[in-house]
Amino acid sequence: MYGFLDTITEINDSVNTFVWTKVGVWLLIIVGLLMTILTKCFQVSHLGHWMKKTVGSLFEKKVRSHTNEKASISQFQALCTALAATVGVGNIAGVAGAIVTGGPGAVFWMWVAAFLGMMTNYSENILGIYYRRKNKAGEWSGGAMYYLQDGLGGYKGMKTVGKVLAILFAIFAVLASFGIGNMGQVNKIVLNFTSAFDIPALSGNVLYHGDDGSEVTLYMVIIGVILFVIVGVVVIGGLKRIANVAEKVIPFMVIMYILGALTVILVNYASIGKAFSSIFSMAFSGQALWGGATGVALKEIITVGCKRGVFSNEAGLGSSVMVHSNSNVVEPVKQGLWGIFEVFADTILICTMTALTILTSGVIDLDTGVTTAGSDATLVAESFNSVFKFGDFELGKYFIALAILLFAFTTILGWSHYGSKAVEYLAGSKAEIATKIYKIVFVFAVILGAVLTSSIAWDISDTFNGMMMLPNLIGVMSLSPLVMKLTKNYVDRRIKGKDIPPMLSHFPEIEAEHAKKIRETGED
């Protein structure tokens, strides 16, 4: 048995290295750079515009108010549901892991990945809206599989290639939804929660002893059952219910986490300058003096930073497109602006807060790299404990456990929608029954995630996550001329005030319907 598992691990490590290190990270950078250039550095040149149309519009009724259309959710709900899936454990443990592995310089490359990823995510969302269509239930369906099929597949001689890549993307999305999007998140919740809020009577009741020394306790099973019930109630209720939960939980948890992190940073304000200095000075050289990353080469620092950035914001994976496509917006670029803000909020804002919390709190010696905490998640908890510890009462530990609970829980909800949309595409005419079966299996997988002790499942799902990225980036790159045209059309009409026809959909009937709506209501 162990020989079989070792073989699986070895094969997966080889595939994972190829997908992420040899191809994925560099393709992400290339595509992000390409889309930045083709859109004339839109994320900077039109900074004021996209900020005004996103965070600046949150108090507008048309952005926040719920829609009565069965086919769609509000723009704000779409953003919150997308953030529900992207703002997760990666924003806490992922950032700490990047610093431990690649040193503070990895944070700089997370920023680079996010800066370029803004335009990758922007491009994905534009294409998602442009190629979306309604399913038999009257709901919008969009995502990488559709712009691979109809966009890339629309080029001469590329029909089969586009279809095959679309199917592969959907398959990998379904598999990733069970791993990274479900069991991996549940496992993190259970381990962190049972550790922080220990109940000896439950944690001491061991139900299973693993050969590797791991244990499954009654406490873990109870937490798993509670999560099973809550996730089931929300997921089975469909996108509307997921969006309703996301729009309430996401703003609360993000604001609370940022306030907590800011408190730690401000208390340790004297170290802010040194923290930034270490980030920039170690971004371009392997630091032999950095104890936590001794001998790390520049290439690995770049790879670790970019990879962790993508794990956090998912720009380039093509995942969040599947919920952004359900927005009630009719203008493709308008939803693309929310894609820019999504990456900004996830990485530039939240991940930076985590990084500065770690680097200013003293849990890592910025000169030697010696850490005072063991694992990545523990590192963040200890950072918060540097301020929020009162005698033996470690408030920081409890705060991080609750943050991981909320972050990971909402990630599960977001990914349940991604997986169901991928199943819908694969099932075709049998989509209705197939998505119901998927949701039931997805909910039961929560129990499995609570008791699994092997890391192999997470490593494999990590690989599937990366394998989603490859066909998606091929699609975005091949359709970059269309993204450029859609962007120019929007800028000319909405910013420069030119009187030209809009570009709203690949399908003439939807184009006509949306153009009529814009003329009658001024909706954009």
Side-chain angles (χ1 to χ4, degrees), residues 36-97:
T36 297
I37 293 172
L38 292 181
T39 58
K40 299 179 180 178
C41 205
F42 191 97
Q43 69 270 58
V44 175
S45 59
H46 294 290
L47 173 64
H49 180 78
W50 67 259
M51 287 293 285
K52 178 182 177 182
K53 292 295 184 179
T54 54
V55 67
S57 67
L58 290 180
F59 295 101
E60 294 181 16
K61 185 177 179 181
K62 66 179 181 180
V63 172
R64 288 188 60 92
S65 61
H66 294 184
T67 173
N68 293 323
E69 298 176 34
K70 184 180 180 180
S72 59
I73 56 179
S74 72
Q75 297 168 45
F76 181 66
Q77 286 180 312
L79 171 70
C80 286
T81 307
L83 282 174
T86 55
V87 177
V89 176
N91 294 82
I92 300 176
V95 175

Short mmCIF file of all heavy atoms in Angstrom, two decimals, residues 36-97:
data_model
loop_
_atom_site.label_atom_id
_atom_site.label_comp_id
_atom_site.label_asym_id
_atom_site.label_seq_id
_atom_site.Cartn_x
_atom_site.Cartn_y
_atom_site.Cartn_z
N THR A 36 -1.76 43.37 -20.01
CA THR A 36 -1.46 44.71 -19.50
C THR A 36 -1.04 45.64 -20.63
O THR A 36 -1.48 46.79 -20.73
CB THR A 36 -0.35 44.65 -18.43
OG1 THR A 36 -0.82 43.88 -17.31
CG2 THR A 36 0.04 46.04 -17.96
N ILE A 37 -0.19 45.12 -21.51
CA ILE A 37 0.30 45.92 -22.64
C ILE A 37 -0.82 46.21 -23.64
O ILE A 37 -1.00 47.35 -24.08
CB ILE A 37 1.47 45.19 -23.35
CG1 ILE A 37 2.69 45.12 -22.42
CG2 ILE A 37 1.83 45.90 -24.65
CD1 ILE A 37 3.81 44.24 -22.95
N LEU A 38 -1.60 45.18 -23.98
CA LEU A 38 -2.65 45.34 -24.99
C LEU A 38 -3.76 46.28 -24.52
O LEU A 38 -4.42 46.93 -25.34
CB LEU A 38 -3.25 43.97 -25.35
CG LEU A 38 -2.34 43.01 -26.12
CD1 LEU A 38 -3.07 41.71 -26.42
CD2 LEU A 38 -1.84 43.64 -27.42
N THR A 39 -4.00 46.34 -23.21
CA THR A 39 -5.03 47.25 -22.69
C THR A 39 -4.43 48.59 -22.24
O THR A 39 -5.09 49.38 -21.57
CB THR A 39 -5.76 46.61 -21.49
OG1 THR A 39 -4.81 46.28 -20.46
CG2 THR A 39 -6.50 45.35 -21.91
N LYS A 40 -3.16 48.81 -22.64
CA LYS A 40 -2.45 50.06 -22.34
C LYS A 40 -2.38 50.31 -20.83
O LYS A 40 -2.65 51.40 -20.33
CB LYS A 40 -3.11 51.24 -23.05
CG LYS A 40 -3.10 51.10 -24.57
CD LYS A 40 -3.78 52.27 -25.26
CE LYS A 40 -3.75 52.09 -26.78
NZ LYS A 40 -4.45 53.20 -27.49
N CYS A 41 -2.02 49.23 -20.11
CA CYS A 41 -1.85 49.29 -18.65
C CYS A 41 -3.11 49.85 -17.98
O CYS A 41 -3.06 50.77 -17.16
CB CYS A 41 -0.63 50.14 -18.29
SG CYS A 41 0.09 49.73 -16.69
N PHE A 42 -4.24 49.25 -18.33
CA PHE A 42 -5.55 49.72 -17.89
C PHE A 42 -5.64 49.86 -16.38
O PHE A 42 -6.25 50.79 -15.86
CB PHE A 42 -6.62 48.75 -18.39
CG PHE A 42 -8.04 49.24 -18.23
CD1 PHE A 42 -8.70 49.84 -19.29
CD2 PHE A 42 -8.71 49.11 -17.02
CE1 PHE A 42 -10.01 50.29 -19.14
CE2 PHE A 42 -10.01 49.55 -16.86
CZ PHE A 42 -10.66 50.15 -17.93
N GLN A 43 -5.02 48.91 -15.63
CA GLN A 43 -5.14 48.93 -14.18
C GLN A 43 -4.49 50.17 -13.56
O GLN A 43 -4.82 50.55 -12.42
CB GLN A 43 -4.56 47.65 -13.55
CG GLN A 43 -3.04 47.49 -13.64
CD GLN A 43 -2.59 46.78 -14.88
OE1 GLN A 43 -2.88 47.23 -15.99
NE2 GLN A 43 -1.86 45.69 -14.71
N VAL A 44 -3.59 50.84 -14.30
CA VAL A 44 -2.96 52.07 -13.84
C VAL A 44 -3.53 53.28 -14.57
O VAL A 44 -3.91 54.28 -13.96
CB VAL A 44 -1.43 52.02 -14.03
CG1 VAL A 44 -0.81 53.37 -13.66
CG2 VAL A 44 -0.83 50.91 -13.18
N SER A 45 -3.61 53.19 -15.90
CA SER A 45 -4.04 54.34 -16.71
C SER A 45 -5.49 54.73 -16.42
O SER A 45 -5.87 55.90 -16.60
CB SER A 45 -3.87 54.03 -18.21
OG SER A 45 -4.64 52.90 -18.59
N HIS A 46 -6.30 53.77 -15.99
CA HIS A 46 -7.70 54.07 -15.65
C HIS A 46 -8.00 53.68 -14.21
O HIS A 46 -9.11 53.23 -13.89
CB HIS A 46 -8.64 53.34 -16.61
CG HIS A 46 -8.53 53.81 -18.04
ND1 HIS A 46 -8.96 55.05 -18.45
CD2 HIS A 46 -8.00 53.21 -19.14
CE1 HIS A 46 -8.73 55.20 -19.75
NE2 HIS A 46 -8.14 54.11 -20.19
N LEU A 47 -7.01 53.88 -13.34
CA LEU A 47 -7.16 53.55 -11.92
C LEU A 47 -8.37 54.24 -11.30
O LEU A 47 -9.18 53.59 -10.62
CB LEU A 47 -5.88 53.96 -11.17
CG LEU A 47 -5.92 53.85 -9.64
CD1 LEU A 47 -6.08 52.39 -9.23
CD2 LEU A 47 -4.65 54.43 -9.03
N GLY A 48 -8.50 55.54 -11.52
CA GLY A 48 -9.62 56.28 -10.94
C GLY A 48 -10.96 55.77 -11.42
O GLY A 48 -11.92 55.69 -10.65
N HIS A 49 -11.02 55.38 -12.70
CA HIS A 49 -12.28 54.92 -13.28
C HIS A 49 -12.72 53.60 -12.67
O HIS A 49 -13.87 53.46 -12.24
CB HIS A 49 -12.14 54.78 -14.80
CG HIS A 49 -13.40 54.30 -15.47
ND1 HIS A 49 -14.47 55.13 -15.72
CD2 HIS A 49 -13.75 53.06 -15.91
CE1 HIS A 49 -15.43 54.43 -16.30
NE2 HIS A 49 -15.03 53.17 -16.43
N TRP A 50 -11.80 52.60 -12.64
CA TRP A 50 -12.24 51.30 -12.13
C TRP A 50 -12.47 51.32 -10.62
O TRP A 50 -13.31 50.57 -10.11
CB TRP A 50 -11.30 50.16 -12.55
CG TRP A 50 -9.90 50.12 -12.02
CD1 TRP A 50 -8.77 50.50 -12.66
CD2 TRP A 50 -9.48 49.59 -10.74
NE1 TRP A 50 -7.66 50.26 -11.88
CE2 TRP A 50 -8.06 49.70 -10.70
CE3 TRP A 50 -10.14 49.05 -9.65
CZ2 TRP A 50 -7.31 49.29 -9.60
CZ3 TRP A 50 -9.39 48.63 -8.55
CH2 TRP A 50 -8.00 48.76 -8.53
N MET A 51 -11.77 52.20 -9.91
CA MET A 51 -12.04 52.32 -8.48
C MET A 51 -13.42 52.95 -8.26
O MET A 51 -14.18 52.52 -7.39
CB MET A 51 -10.97 53.18 -7.82
CG MET A 51 -9.62 52.49 -7.67
SD MET A 51 -9.64 51.10 -6.51
CE MET A 51 -9.68 51.95 -4.94
N LYS A 52 -13.75 53.95 -9.08
CA LYS A 52 -15.05 54.61 -8.97
C LYS A 52 -16.19 53.64 -9.30
O LYS A 52 -17.24 53.65 -8.65
CB LYS A 52 -15.10 55.81 -9.92
CG LYS A 52 -16.44 56.54 -9.92
CD LYS A 52 -16.44 57.69 -10.93
CE LYS A 52 -17.80 58.37 -10.98
NZ LYS A 52 -17.83 59.46 -11.99
N LYS A 53 -15.98 52.82 -10.33
CA LYS A 53 -17.02 51.90 -10.78
C LYS A 53 -17.12 50.64 -9.92
O LYS A 53 -18.06 49.85 -10.10
CB LYS A 53 -16.77 51.51 -12.24
CG LYS A 53 -16.96 52.64 -13.24
CD LYS A 53 -18.41 53.11 -13.28
CE LYS A 53 -18.64 54.18 -14.32
NZ LYS A 53 -20.06 54.61 -14.36
N THR A 54 -16.19 50.42 -9.02
CA THR A 54 -16.24 49.24 -8.15
C THR A 54 -16.49 49.67 -6.71
O THR A 54 -17.63 49.82 -6.30
CB THR A 54 -14.95 48.40 -8.28
OG1 THR A 54 -13.80 49.23 -8.04
CG2 THR A 54 -14.83 47.82 -9.68
N VAL A 55 -15.42 49.89 -5.96
CA VAL A 55 -15.59 50.25 -4.55
C VAL A 55 -16.34 51.57 -4.40
O VAL A 55 -17.10 51.75 -3.43
CB VAL A 55 -14.20 50.32 -3.85
CG1 VAL A 55 -13.36 51.47 -4.39
CG2 VAL A 55 -14.37 50.44 -2.34
N GLY A 56 -16.19 52.47 -5.36
CA GLY A 56 -16.89 53.75 -5.30
C GLY A 56 -18.37 53.66 -5.58
O GLY A 56 -19.12 54.61 -5.35
N SER A 57 -18.81 52.52 -6.11
CA SER A 57 -20.23 52.37 -6.47
C SER A 57 -20.99 51.45 -5.51
O SER A 57 -22.14 51.13 -5.76
CB SER A 57 -20.34 51.80 -7.90
OG SER A 57 -19.86 50.47 -7.95
N LEU A 58 -20.34 51.05 -4.43
CA LEU A 58 -20.96 50.07 -3.54
C LEU A 58 -22.22 50.58 -2.86
O LEU A 58 -23.02 49.79 -2.36
CB LEU A 58 -19.94 49.62 -2.47
CG LEU A 58 -18.79 48.75 -3.00
CD1 LEU A 58 -17.87 48.35 -1.86
CD2 LEU A 58 -19.34 47.50 -3.69
N PHE A 59 -22.38 51.89 -2.81
CA PHE A 59 -23.58 52.44 -2.18
C PHE A 59 -24.68 52.74 -3.20
O PHE A 59 -25.75 53.24 -2.84
CB PHE A 59 -23.24 53.70 -1.38
CG PHE A 59 -22.32 53.42 -0.22
CD1 PHE A 59 -20.97 53.70 -0.31
CD2 PHE A 59 -22.82 52.86 0.94
CE1 PHE A 59 -20.12 53.45 0.76
CE2 PHE A 59 -21.99 52.58 2.02
CZ PHE A 59 -20.63 52.88 1.93
N GLU A 60 -24.41 52.44 -4.47
CA GLU A 60 -25.42 52.65 -5.51
C GLU A 60 -26.42 51.49 -5.49
O GLU A 60 -26.04 50.32 -5.43
CB GLU A 60 -24.76 52.75 -6.90
CG GLU A 60 -23.88 53.98 -7.07
CD GLU A 60 -23.26 54.05 -8.46
OE1 GLU A 60 -23.75 53.32 -9.34
OE2 GLU A 60 -22.31 54.81 -8.65
N LYS A 61 -27.68 51.81 -5.57
CA LYS A 61 -28.73 50.81 -5.49
C LYS A 61 -28.63 49.77 -6.59
O LYS A 61 -28.82 48.58 -6.37
CB LYS A 61 -30.11 51.49 -5.54
CG LYS A 61 -31.27 50.53 -5.34
CD LYS A 61 -32.60 51.26 -5.34
CE LYS A 61 -33.75 50.27 -5.16
NZ LYS A 61 -35.07 50.95 -5.16
N LYS A 62 -28.28 50.22 -7.82
CA LYS A 62 -28.24 49.28 -8.94
C LYS A 62 -27.10 48.27 -8.82
O LYS A 62 -27.14 47.21 -9.44
CB LYS A 62 -28.11 50.04 -10.27
CG LYS A 62 -26.79 50.80 -10.45
CD LYS A 62 -26.75 51.49 -11.79
CE LYS A 62 -25.42 52.24 -12.00
NZ LYS A 62 -25.38 52.92 -13.30
N VAL A 63 -26.10 48.60 -8.01
CA VAL A 63 -24.97 47.69 -7.81
C VAL A 63 -25.24 46.71 -6.68
O VAL A 63 -24.97 45.52 -6.79
CB VAL A 63 -23.68 48.49 -7.52
CG1 VAL A 63 -22.53 47.56 -7.12
CG2 VAL A 63 -23.28 49.31 -8.74
N ARG A 64 -25.80 47.21 -5.58
CA ARG A 64 -26.01 46.38 -4.38
C ARG A 64 -27.35 45.66 -4.37
O ARG A 64 -27.47 44.57 -3.82
CB ARG A 64 -25.91 47.24 -3.13
CG ARG A 64 -24.51 47.72 -2.79
CD ARG A 64 -24.50 48.39 -1.43
NE ARG A 64 -24.94 47.46 -0.40
CZ ARG A 64 -24.12 46.68 0.31
NH1 ARG A 64 -22.83 46.71 0.06
NH2 ARG A 64 -24.57 45.87 1.24
N SER A 65 -28.39 46.28 -4.95
CA SER A 65 -29.73 45.72 -4.82
C SER A 65 -29.85 44.39 -5.54
O SER A 65 -29.24 44.17 -6.58
CB SER A 65 -30.77 46.71 -5.37
OG SER A 65 -30.55 46.97 -6.73
N HIS A 66 -30.67 43.52 -4.97
CA HIS A 66 -30.87 42.20 -5.55
C HIS A 66 -31.71 42.30 -6.81
O HIS A 66 -32.56 43.16 -6.96
CB HIS A 66 -31.56 41.28 -4.55
CG HIS A 66 -30.71 40.98 -3.36
ND1 HIS A 66 -31.08 40.11 -2.37
CD2 HIS A 66 -29.48 41.45 -2.99
CE1 HIS A 66 -30.14 40.05 -1.44
NE2 HIS A 66 -29.16 40.86 -1.79
N THR A 67 -31.45 41.40 -7.72
CA THR A 67 -32.22 41.35 -8.96
C THR A 67 -33.31 40.30 -8.87
O THR A 67 -33.13 39.26 -8.23
CB THR A 67 -31.30 41.04 -10.16
OG1 THR A 67 -32.10 40.83 -11.33
CG2 THR A 67 -30.47 39.79 -9.93
N ASN A 68 -34.42 40.57 -9.50
CA ASN A 68 -35.52 39.60 -9.53
C ASN A 68 -35.35 38.58 -10.65
O ASN A 68 -36.11 37.63 -10.74
CB ASN A 68 -36.86 40.34 -9.70
CG ASN A 68 -37.20 41.19 -8.49
OD1 ASN A 68 -36.93 40.79 -7.36
ND2 ASN A 68 -37.81 42.35 -8.73
N GLU A 69 -34.37 38.82 -11.49
CA GLU A 69 -34.13 37.90 -12.60
C GLU A 69 -33.57 36.59 -12.08
O GLU A 69 -32.62 36.57 -11.31
CB GLU A 69 -33.13 38.51 -13.60
CG GLU A 69 -33.60 39.79 -14.25
CD GLU A 69 -32.51 40.37 -15.15
OE1 GLU A 69 -31.76 39.58 -15.76
OE2 GLU A 69 -32.40 41.59 -15.22
N LYS A 70 -34.17 35.48 -12.48
CA LYS A 70 -33.68 34.17 -12.08
C LYS A 70 -32.29 33.91 -12.65
O LYS A 70 -31.49 33.17 -12.09
CB LYS A 70 -34.65 33.08 -12.56
CG LYS A 70 -34.27 31.67 -12.10
CD LYS A 70 -35.27 30.65 -12.60
CE LYS A 70 -34.88 29.24 -12.13
NZ LYS A 70 -35.82 28.21 -12.61
N ALA A 71 -32.01 34.57 -13.77
CA ALA A 71 -30.77 34.30 -14.49
C ALA A 71 -29.55 34.92 -13.86
O ALA A 71 -28.43 34.59 -14.22
CB ALA A 71 -30.90 34.80 -15.94
N SER A 72 -29.74 35.85 -12.93
CA SER A 72 -28.56 36.58 -12.48
C SER A 72 -28.62 36.99 -11.02
O SER A 72 -29.65 36.87 -10.36
CB SER A 72 -28.40 37.84 -13.35
OG SER A 72 -29.54 38.67 -13.26
N ILE A 73 -27.47 37.46 -10.53
CA ILE A 73 -27.34 38.03 -9.21
C ILE A 73 -26.76 39.43 -9.37
O ILE A 73 -26.32 39.80 -10.46
CB ILE A 73 -26.43 37.18 -8.31
CG1 ILE A 73 -25.04 37.00 -8.96
CG2 ILE A 73 -27.06 35.84 -8.00
CD1 ILE A 73 -24.07 36.19 -8.14
N SER A 74 -26.77 40.24 -8.31
CA SER A 74 -26.26 41.60 -8.43
C SER A 74 -24.75 41.61 -8.62
O SER A 74 -24.06 40.63 -8.33
CB SER A 74 -26.63 42.41 -7.18
OG SER A 74 -25.85 42.00 -6.07
N GLN A 75 -24.23 42.76 -9.08
CA GLN A 75 -22.78 42.89 -9.28
C GLN A 75 -22.04 42.70 -7.97
O GLN A 75 -20.99 42.06 -7.92
CB GLN A 75 -22.47 44.27 -9.86
CG GLN A 75 -23.06 44.53 -11.24
CD GLN A 75 -22.98 45.97 -11.64
OE1 GLN A 75 -21.94 46.61 -11.47
NE2 GLN A 75 -24.05 46.52 -12.18
N PHE A 76 -22.59 43.25 -6.88
CA PHE A 76 -21.95 43.13 -5.58
C PHE A 76 -21.98 41.69 -5.09
O PHE A 76 -21.01 41.19 -4.52
CB PHE A 76 -22.67 44.04 -4.56
CG PHE A 76 -22.07 44.01 -3.19
CD1 PHE A 76 -20.79 44.50 -2.96
CD2 PHE A 76 -22.78 43.48 -2.12
CE1 PHE A 76 -20.22 44.48 -1.70
CE2 PHE A 76 -22.22 43.45 -0.84
CZ PHE A 76 -20.95 43.95 -0.64
N GLN A 77 -23.09 40.99 -5.32
CA GLN A 77 -23.18 39.59 -4.93
C GLN A 77 -22.19 38.74 -5.73
O GLN A 77 -21.58 37.81 -5.19
CB GLN A 77 -24.60 39.06 -5.15
CG GLN A 77 -25.61 39.55 -4.13
CD GLN A 77 -26.99 39.00 -4.40
OE1 GLN A 77 -27.49 39.03 -5.53
NE2 GLN A 77 -27.64 38.48 -3.37
N ALA A 78 -22.03 39.07 -7.02
CA ALA A 78 -21.07 38.34 -7.85
C ALA A 78 -19.66 38.53 -7.31
O ALA A 78 -18.87 37.57 -7.22
CB ALA A 78 -21.15 38.82 -9.30
N LEU A 79 -19.33 39.78 -6.94
CA LEU A 79 -18.00 40.05 -6.37
C LEU A 79 -17.81 39.28 -5.06
O LEU A 79 -16.77 38.64 -4.86
CB LEU A 79 -17.84 41.55 -6.11
CG LEU A 79 -16.58 41.93 -5.31
CD1 LEU A 79 -15.34 41.71 -6.15
CD2 LEU A 79 -16.66 43.37 -4.82
N CYS A 80 -18.80 39.35 -4.17
CA CYS A 80 -18.67 38.69 -2.87
C CYS A 80 -18.56 37.17 -3.01
O CYS A 80 -17.80 36.53 -2.29
CB CYS A 80 -19.86 39.04 -1.98
SG CYS A 80 -19.81 40.72 -1.33
N THR A 81 -19.31 36.60 -3.95
CA THR A 81 -19.24 35.16 -4.16
C THR A 81 -17.88 34.77 -4.74
O THR A 81 -17.31 33.74 -4.36
CB THR A 81 -20.36 34.68 -5.10
OG1 THR A 81 -21.62 35.16 -4.61
CG2 THR A 81 -20.40 33.17 -5.19
N ALA A 82 -17.35 35.60 -5.64
CA ALA A 82 -16.01 35.35 -6.19
C ALA A 82 -14.96 35.49 -5.10
O ALA A 82 -14.04 34.67 -4.99
CB ALA A 82 -15.72 36.31 -7.34
N LEU A 83 -15.09 36.54 -4.28
CA LEU A 83 -14.15 36.72 -3.16
C LEU A 83 -14.30 35.60 -2.14
O LEU A 83 -13.34 35.23 -1.47
CB LEU A 83 -14.38 38.07 -2.49
CG LEU A 83 -13.81 39.30 -3.21
CD1 LEU A 83 -14.24 40.58 -2.50
CD2 LEU A 83 -12.28 39.23 -3.27
N ALA A 84 -15.52 35.06 -2.01
CA ALA A 84 -15.74 33.95 -1.09
C ALA A 84 -14.84 32.78 -1.44
O ALA A 84 -14.31 32.08 -0.57
CB ALA A 84 -17.21 33.51 -1.14
N ALA A 85 -14.67 32.55 -2.74
CA ALA A 85 -13.83 31.44 -3.19
C ALA A 85 -12.35 31.78 -3.17
O ALA A 85 -11.51 30.91 -2.95
CB ALA A 85 -14.24 31.00 -4.60
N THR A 86 -12.00 33.05 -3.41
CA THR A 86 -10.59 33.42 -3.50
C THR A 86 -9.98 33.78 -2.15
O THR A 86 -8.81 33.47 -1.88
CB THR A 86 -10.38 34.59 -4.48
OG1 THR A 86 -11.21 35.68 -4.07
CG2 THR A 86 -10.74 34.19 -5.89
N VAL A 87 -10.75 34.49 -1.30
CA VAL A 87 -10.23 34.86 0.01
C VAL A 87 -10.36 33.64 0.91
O VAL A 87 -11.43 33.32 1.40
CB VAL A 87 -11.00 36.05 0.61
CG1 VAL A 87 -10.48 36.35 2.02
CG2 VAL A 87 -10.86 37.27 -0.27
N GLY A 88 -9.27 32.93 1.10
CA GLY A 88 -9.31 31.69 1.87
C GLY A 88 -8.06 31.50 2.70
O GLY A 88 -7.39 32.46 3.09
N VAL A 89 -7.75 30.24 2.95
CA VAL A 89 -6.59 29.89 3.77
C VAL A 89 -5.30 30.45 3.17
O VAL A 89 -4.36 30.79 3.89
CB VAL A 89 -6.49 28.36 3.91
CG1 VAL A 89 -5.23 27.96 4.67
CG2 VAL A 89 -7.73 27.82 4.64
N GLY A 90 -5.27 30.59 1.85
CA GLY A 90 -4.08 31.12 1.19
C GLY A 90 -3.72 32.52 1.63
O GLY A 90 -2.55 32.91 1.61
N ASN A 91 -4.72 33.29 2.05
CA ASN A 91 -4.46 34.66 2.52
C ASN A 91 -3.77 34.69 3.88
O ASN A 91 -3.21 35.70 4.27
CB ASN A 91 -5.77 35.44 2.61
CG ASN A 91 -6.40 35.66 1.25
OD1 ASN A 91 -7.06 34.77 0.75
ND2 ASN A 91 -6.18 36.80 0.67
N ILE A 92 -3.84 33.58 4.60
CA ILE A 92 -3.21 33.50 5.92
C ILE A 92 -2.01 32.55 5.86
O ILE A 92 -0.86 32.97 5.87
CB ILE A 92 -4.22 33.04 6.98
CG1 ILE A 92 -5.39 34.04 7.06
CG2 ILE A 92 -3.56 32.91 8.34
CD1 ILE A 92 -6.50 33.62 8.01
N ALA A 93 -2.30 31.27 5.79
CA ALA A 93 -1.22 30.27 5.79
C ALA A 93 -0.39 30.36 4.52
O ALA A 93 0.83 30.13 4.55
CB ALA A 93 -1.82 28.88 5.93
N GLY A 94 -1.03 30.70 3.39
CA GLY A 94 -0.30 30.77 2.12
C GLY A 94 0.77 31.85 2.12
O GLY A 94 1.88 31.64 1.64
N VAL A 95 0.43 33.02 2.65
CA VAL A 95 1.39 34.12 2.71
C VAL A 95 2.54 33.77 3.66
O VAL A 95 3.71 33.99 3.36
CB VAL A 95 0.70 35.42 3.18
CG1 VAL A 95 1.73 36.53 3.36
CG2 VAL A 95 -0.36 35.84 2.17
N ALA A 96 2.19 33.19 4.82
CA ALA A 96 3.22 32.79 5.77
C ALA A 96 4.14 31.74 5.15
O ALA A 96 5.36 31.78 5.32
CB ALA A 96 2.57 32.23 7.04
N GLY A 97 3.55 30.79 4.41
CA GLY A 97 4.35 29.76 3.75
C GLY A 97 5.31 30.34 2.72
O GLY A 97 6.44 29.89 2.58
#
